[in-house]
Amino acid sequence: MNPDHYKRTRPLWHPALVPSWLLGGVLYLLAQLPMASKQRWGAGIGRLLNRRLKSRARVAQTNIKVCMPELDAQARDELVESCFIACARGFLESTHAWWRDMTPYLDTTEIFGLEHLEEAKARGNGVLLIGGHYSILDFALPLIASKLDKPGYMYRPNNNPVIDHIIEKGRRRHFNIQPFTKREMPAMMTFLKNGGQVWYACDQDFGKKNKIYTPFFGVEAGCITMPSHLARESGASVICVSHLRTPQGRYQVVFSPIQEGFGEDDQQDAAVWNGFIETTIRQYPDQYLWLHKRFKSRPEGAEKVY
């Protein structure tokens, strides 16, 4: 069901949504755990999900096999389990960002390439931050937004109105960050033209919306051209951004140099942001969302991956 239709027909206080509010209460309680406990719980939950979610584990196995053929079966198994653990930890970290104080993490996060971001902001035409689906998820939003003057983000509403309300309220309490859905592209374009900075993760397979294919770990991956369109029409500077959990339990955010000429060639643009994401993944391969069918769409005549 379309999320907007769901919201119109099921107000937040509807009795049918009581279980969703109870789930929200559980999430709130999880958020109160110390971060060290979140990391331990995430490891246990991740291992459990790896055993239980067979179909998702197979997707991750397939993605890793085609992207990293140099890994043997044991190494792939270990990476799949590590991916589940990273994602589970990321979900618990997200609850922390929705309800808890993020100040200690803002103070200790390692920031690389801040000079590129400052240069982009100084140009005055807005900044489009192209990211990827790394495991720390919503925890990364305030880490990035803290370095922006006028932060915004692109998102897909959750189908459940209660869960959507909880998540979006948690996101928006940081730095007056502005949300935009796919139905609000004109507003996002205006926001960029007025000097806004928008984080946009466009690294998933959008099915029929894919316009081009470009190599990702040497495999043709379907890509949308919306980032190129936004840059071209708004005049915004484009920077790639990554957000990761380090092995030491800290966090890091990396801003790339400004991608000059972005918007002139859709194919080249897609190669740029896919290349940045690939380089990031090779640094910490467990922290990418391998559970998603990145190669669901295939070029004409190409064999199916899944």
Side-chain angles (χ1 to χ4, degrees):
M1 180 180 291
N2 182 287
D4 294 333
H5 176 73
Y6 199 132
K7 290 176 183 178
R8 287 195 300 269
T9 57
R10 292 288 177 90
L12 292 177
W13 57 87
H14 194 283
L17 295 174
V18 169
S20 299
W21 283 112
L22 293 175
L23 174 59
V26 172
L27 296 179
Y28 176 80
L29 292 176
L30 289 173
Q32 308 315 308
L33 291 171
M35 185 57 78
S37 298
K38 289 185 176 73
Q39 298 299 321
R40 289 195 299 271
W41 281 45
I45 293 171
R47 294 187 183 96
L48 176 63
L49 294 178
N50 181 42
R51 295 193 297 269
R52 294 296 182 85
L53 300 182
K54 300 294 185 181
S55 62
R56 283 295 161 187
R58 285 194 294 270
V59 169
Q61 278 275 0
T62 301
N63 283 335
I64 292 168
K65 185 175 182 178
V66 300
C67 289
M68 301 179 183
E70 69 276 11
L71 298 181
D72 59 25
Q74 180 179 347
R76 288 198 302 272
D77 289 343
E78 291 173 354
L79 182 51
V80 169
E81 182 178 75
S82 295
C83 176
F84 272 99
I85 290 172
C87 287
R89 283 173 168 167
F91 178 77
L92 293 178
E93 288 164 331
S94 292
T95 67
H96 195 101
W98 297 338
W99 283 292
R100 300 286 299 279
D101 180 18
M102 288 291 292
T103 303
Y105 305 98
L106 299 178
D107 293 340
T108 58
T109 295
E110 298 176 290
I111 307 292
F112 299 94
L114 187 60
E115 68 276 14
H116 306 310
L117 177 63
E118 294 301 323
E119 180 185 350
K121 290 192 294 184
R123 294 186 180 185
N125 294 326
V127 184
L128 181 63
L129 298 160
I130 299 181
H133 285 79
Y134 309 110
S135 66
I136 64 173
L137 304 171
D138 284 17
F139 192 86
L141 271 177
L143 303 184
I144 295 172
S146 68
K147 303 303 177 182
L148 307 179
D149 302 325
K150 192 177 178 181
Y153 65 99
M154 176 76 179
Y155 80 106
R156 179 191 179 280
N158 191 285
N159 289 345
N160 184 304
V162 171
I163 301 303
D164 187 65
H165 171 77
I166 290 171
I167 292 174
E168 291 308 313
K169 185 177 180 181
R171 288 171 174 170
R172 298 173 196 182
R173 72 188 186 94
H174 301 288
F175 303 102
N176 193 33
I177 189 168
Q178 301 298 304
F180 299 96
T181 71
K182 65 180 181 180
R183 301 179 186 278
E184 297 171 316
M185 284 297 184
M188 191 168 89
M189 189 79 72
T190 300
F191 184 77
L192 285 168
K193 288 180 179 179
N194 290 334
Q197 301 107 27
V198 177
W199 178 85
Y200 183 17
C202 50
D203 61 321
Q204 294 192 316
D205 191 310
F206 292 89
K208 294 180 180 179
K209 295 181 181 179
N210 294 328
K211 301 296 184 182
I212 56 178
Y213 289 86
T214 195
F216 182 60
F217 285 87
V219 185
E220 292 295 312
C223 301
I224 56 175
T225 58
M226 182 55 70
S228 301
H229 173 75
L230 289 170
R232 187 165 51 246
E233 297 301 318
S234 70
S237 298
V238 175
I239 283 179
C240 297
V241 60
S242 65
H243 35 87
L244 302 165
R245 181 191 313 106
T246 70
Q248 294 75 34
R250 295 165 67 92
Y251 301 92
Q252 72 173 39
V253 173
V254 178
F255 297 104
S256 79
I258 297 172
Q259 303 302 317
E260 304 290 2
F262 197 99
E264 298 175 3
D265 184 327
D266 294 353
Q267 192 76 51
Q268 177 60 30
D269 295 344
V272 165
W273 54 262
N274 273 280
F276 180 86
I277 292 171
E278 179 177 334
T279 299
T280 301
I281 293 169
R282 290 190 183 280
Q283 182 182 11
Y284 295 116
D286 63 312
Q287 291 191 49
Y288 190 62
L289 189 63
W290 294 112
L291 311 181
H292 170 71
K293 291 185 177 181
R294 184 64 185 91
F295 308 108
K296 180 172 57 177
S297 300
R298 307 299 300 135
E300 185 176 353
E303 293 184 3
K304 293 184 177 180
V305 173
Y306 309 104

